[in-house]
Amino acid sequence: MSDVEEVGRAIRAARKEARLTQKDLAELAGISERTVRAIETGTGNPALTAVAAAAGVLGLRLVAEQ
């Protein structure tokens, strides 16, 4: 599994745990539902700022591995 897919799975799991729909998360993060779907499935090329916004709403922190 790629890092992108792993981040997407973590965001999806946290969203579901928070009992939010993709639409809810999109509205709270200020991004589109399409972008939420792309993040969660690891497809497309969502901007890092969008990923960070979604993660932030869910209380997740993105950490770069070195």
Side-chain angles (χ1 to χ4, degrees), residues 12-32:
R12 180 184 168 116
R15 175 182 62 78
K16 287 185 170 263
E17 186 174 316
R19 298 178 188 247
L20 296 173
T21 65
Q22 288 181 336
K23 182 178 181 179
D24 295 334
L25 178 56
E27 289 175 1
L28 291 168
I31 58 179
S32 71

Side-chain angles (χ1 to χ4, degrees), residues 7 9 15-16 23-25 29-30 34 39 53 57 60 64:
V7 168
R9 286 180 190 231
R15 175 182 62 78
K16 287 185 170 263
K23 182 178 181 179
D24 295 334
L25 178 56
R34 185 177 188 176
I39 292 168
V57 165
L60 301 176

Side-chain angles (χ1 to χ4, degrees), residues 3-4 7-8 11 29 31 35 38-39 43-56 60-64:
D3 290 341
V4 171
V7 168
I11 287 175
I31 58 179
T35 299
I39 292 168
T43 58
N45 192 18
L48 183 56
T49 54
V51 177
L60 301 176
R61 207 174 99 203
L62 299 178
V63 179

